[in-house]
Amino acid sequence: MTESAKRCDVAANSLTRKPSFGLLLVLLAVLSMSVYAVTLGAPLVWDDHELVSQVNQSTHSWLSVWTRPFWSAGALSPAAYYRPLTLLSFRLDVSLYGDNPAGFHLTNILLHTTNAVLLASLARRCGAGVIAATVASFAFALSPRLTESVAWVSGRTDLLALFWVLCALLLWRVPRVGPVLGALACACGMLSKEVALAGAVALIVFELRSDAPRRLLAWRLSPLFAFGVIVLLVRGVELSNIPSPCDGLGFGARLITAFEALGNYAFMLVDPWQPNLQIGWLGSPRYAFVALGGLVLLTFGVAALKFWPKLNPAQAAFVALGAAALALVLHLVPLPVGVVAADRFLYLPIAALALTVSTCF
């Protein structure tokens, strides 16, 4: 073979060679940060002022975030939440950046970019190809519906919740200490935002669908339940004097709202280019979306009956992750908000959808 023919052969091989996954992750990180870099010049808005001022007060020490609710007395939101790790992240931002909004936005950008990289890594570990994992992660990182969670400083709750859930899913299969590390990460997620409970559901489904001996099931899941009980006890003690929020909806109205919210979220997925902070109003149902929600639930039920037995443990866990995260924001559990749906509530479900799709194709 001549020298020129060898060069042509090398060039042809380089064109057909699969791209480096590490290089694609770098590109993903650069693109994600570049897209959201514009938010570095944005100010604090709405709830941001309340949250930042809480941790900026000299009377609040680093340890005080563990002994108080997410919202202080007199805050605009009546929500009785316990999210000490989110408050701790704001406290760290204040120590680093003072009251400069750019620092808070930078933390959000870094968290979102990290989540996109972790999502791609998890998809690859669970069998997705390089291209499928990368495309799914790019779609997640650049989805317009996730802008609220990233660009709004107060949206950090969702960023941190997903970060810890992805860590839990990645750590779970580490030999010997995986269940302990995964359960600890899940607990950290629930101490960032309650929706991280969906991560625990995903891990339980994974274990139930795995080939591990049944006699080991209780042993592997025991750290998850132990940390869950600890989180619930601490949360209960710290919020014992705060009334639980309730939107006043009866069972029938709540069920209609759940269908309406589900219909809205389905429509938001197929129309991602019009992000909206507040969608619909409680007590004023739009029956077209109620009907759409019913159709979506019926379709999901039929698809589950047909495809659920064929899913491997990781795929089943991802489906459970998305379903549980979505169920928690359908107003079946009272939410202290006046709107039916909001973009930020899709942050974790879209990540679960990206994981599911990437590992199925």
Side-chain angles (χ1 to χ4, degrees):
M1 181 181 294
T2 64
E3 193 65 30
S4 60
K6 290 181 180 179
R7 286 196 295 269
C8 289
D9 189 50
V10 170
N13 288 336
S14 65
L15 290 175
T16 58
R17 189 182 303 130
K18 290 183 179 180
S20 166
F21 186 56
L23 182 61
L24 289 174
L25 289 183
V26 172
L27 178 61
L28 170 65
V30 170
L31 187 58
S32 175
M33 296 185 68
S34 299
V35 166
Y36 281 103
V38 66
T39 65
L40 294 175
L44 300 177
V45 296
W46 305 322
D47 297 340
D48 298 348
H49 297 287
E50 170 66 27
L51 291 173
V52 173
S53 66
Q54 288 182 59
V55 298
N56 201 17
Q57 296 177 26
S58 58
T59 55
H60 289 142
S61 67
W62 286 87
L63 294 178
S64 68
V65 300
W66 297 95
T67 58
R68 54 188 301 276
F70 190 61
W71 297 102
S72 63
L76 295 178
S77 172
Y81 295 135
Y82 183 66
R83 300 169 177 173
L85 290 187
T86 301
L87 288 179
L88 193 62
S89 75
F90 288 133
R91 191 75 174 84
L92 180 61
D93 279 353
V94 167
S95 68
L96 292 174
Y97 313 115
D99 57 359
N100 184 356
F104 294 86
H105 287 295
L106 177 60
T107 300
N108 275 24
I109 294 172
L110 292 174
L111 278 171
H112 179 61
T113 300
T114 301
N115 286 342
V117 172
L118 290 177
L119 189 150
S121 302
L122 179 60
R124 280 290 289 147
R125 180 174 294 186
C126 294
V130 171
I131 299 301
T134 304
V135 170
S137 299
F138 270 84
F140 166 79
L142 305 179
S143 174
R145 285 290 179 186
L146 304 185
T147 303
E148 179 184 358
S149 295
V150 186
W152 187 28
V153 170
S154 297
R156 185 178 303 176
T157 52
D158 294 284
L159 305 179
L160 282 171
L162 179 59
F163 169 78
W164 289 113
V165 166
L166 291 174
C167 287
L169 294 172
L170 283 165
L171 291 170
W172 190 257
R173 296 305 297 270
V174 173
R176 290 178 294 192
V177 296
V180 175
L181 295 178
L184 179 59
C186 233
C188 289
M190 288 186 280
L191 292 173
S192 300
K193 188 175 182 179
E194 296 73 16
V195 72
L197 175 64
V201 174
L203 291 173
I204 292 173
V205 169
F206 177 84
E207 283 298 319
L208 291 175
R209 292 294 298 271
S210 69
D211 297 329
R214 296 292 106 177
R215 69 179 188 280
L216 296 179
L217 183 62
W219 174 255
R220 288 183 60 81
L221 290 178
S222 58
L224 192 64
F225 286 105
F227 280 115
V229 169
I230 291 173
V231 169
L232 290 176
L233 288 176
V234 173
R235 186 181 190 277
V237 169
E238 298 304 332
L239 300 181
S240 58
N241 295 322
I242 299 178
S244 299
C246 182
D247 53 28
L249 293 177
F251 175 77
R254 193 177 301 284
L255 193 60
I256 291 174
T257 302
F259 280 112
E260 182 184 3
L262 184 59
N264 272 286
Y265 288 125
F267 183 77
M268 291 157 67
L269 288 176
V270 299
D271 181 32
W273 303 106
Q274 300 184 59
N276 196 337
L277 301 179
Q278 299 180 334
I279 302 171
W281 296 101
L282 295 183
S284 301
R286 295 170 297 168
Y287 288 101
F289 286 100
V290 175
L292 178 59
L295 180 61
V296 169
L297 185 61
L298 178 62
T299 303
F300 182 82
V302 172
L305 289 175
K306 182 177 181 180
F307 295 109
W308 181 259
K310 302 178 183 179
L311 299 178
N312 64 40
Q315 292 166 342
F318 297 152
V319 171
L321 175 65
L326 201 56
L328 290 172
V329 295
L330 294 182
H331 300 278
L332 295 172
V333 177
L335 298 174
V337 295
V339 297
V340 173
D343 285 349
R344 64 185 179 277
F345 295 147
L346 273 180
Y347 192 78
L348 203 151
I350 285 181
L353 179 62
L355 287 166
T356 303
V357 172
S358 66
T359 53
C360 288
F361 297 98

